[in-house]
């Protein structure tokens, strides 16, 4: 099954740039391998992340998102904590909400193109 997933940085602060963004992509890729699902496409701006994942029906999407957001926040705060906390008042990296939608085989290419095209003008 494929899912289009989006979540934002707390307060929509612009913190996903430079080494933070590079490390985040590596972390999310590793989390996906550790949990047995694939990230087919991923794109991030400085204040949100958008991805297309592929997983089995046995995967529970809230658990996948909890793993990605929780582990990435903990490890990024450990490495870049002072810089991130200066931009995030509460010290939380991610907004607690997220968007998720199933993707059919018929719309997969459209979603991939949409994710790739989501760069600020």
């Amino acid at each position: 099954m494929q899912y289009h997933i989006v979540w934002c940085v707390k307060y929509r602060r612009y913190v996903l740039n430079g080494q933070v963004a590079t490390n985040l992509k590596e972390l999310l890729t590793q989390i996906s391998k550790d949990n047995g699902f694939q990230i087919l496409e991923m794109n991030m701006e400085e204040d949100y992340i958008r991805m297309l994942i592929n997983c089995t029906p046995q995967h529970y999407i809230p658990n996948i998102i909890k793993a990605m957001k929780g582990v990435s926040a903990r490890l990024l705060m450990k490495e870049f904590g002072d810089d991130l906390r200066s931009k995030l008042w509460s010290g939380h990296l991610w907004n607690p909400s997220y968007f998720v939608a199933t993707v059919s085989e018929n719309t997969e290419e459209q979603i991939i193109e949409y994710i790739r095209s989501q760069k600020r003008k």
Side-chain angles (χ1 to χ4, degrees):
M1 300 201 62
Q2 294 182 347
Y3 297 92
H4 179 199
I5 300 172
V6 182
W7 73 82
C8 300
V9 172
K10 188 88 170 186
Y11 314 116
R12 295 296 297 258
R13 296 291 187 185
Y14 290 176
V15 298
L16 303 180
N17 47 41
Q19 196 59 45
V20 173
T22 301
N23 286 20
L24 177 58
K25 284 183 181 182
E26 292 169 3
L27 286 170
L28 293 174
T29 301
Q30 188 59 50
I31 293 165
S32 72
K33 289 177 185 173
D34 293 346
N35 289 281
F37 65 92
Q38 291 178 290
I39 297 175
L40 302 175
E41 193 66 39
M42 179 174 19
N43 189 0
M44 69 179 72
E45 285 292 322
E46 293 179 318
D47 61 342
Y48 73 89
I49 185 158
R50 181 181 303 275
M51 64 179 68
L52 176 66
I53 67 164
N54 187 38
C55 61
T56 66
Q58 288 73 29
H59 281 97
Y60 183 55
I61 295 301
N63 286 348
I64 287 176
I65 294 170
K66 181 180 176 181
M68 288 192 293
K69 290 171 76 173
V71 172
S72 65
R74 184 171 41 82
L75 295 175
L76 288 173
M77 283 295 193
K78 186 176 179 180
E79 188 167 349
F80 304 102
D82 292 338
D83 185 46
L84 292 174
R85 281 187 196 92
S86 71
K87 298 173 184 167
L88 302 165
W89 304 305
S90 67
H92 297 283
L93 178 59
W94 302 120
N95 187 308
S97 63
Y98 58 88
F99 166 83
V100 63
T102 56
V103 177
S104 72
E105 292 176 15
N106 298 335
T107 59
E108 178 183 355
E109 281 302 315
Q110 290 172 316
I111 297 296
I112 289 172
E113 186 55 37
Y114 177 73
I115 291 171
R116 288 179 182 164
S117 71
Q118 291 304 299
K119 284 288 183 188
R120 277 195 172 59
K121 307 297 188 254

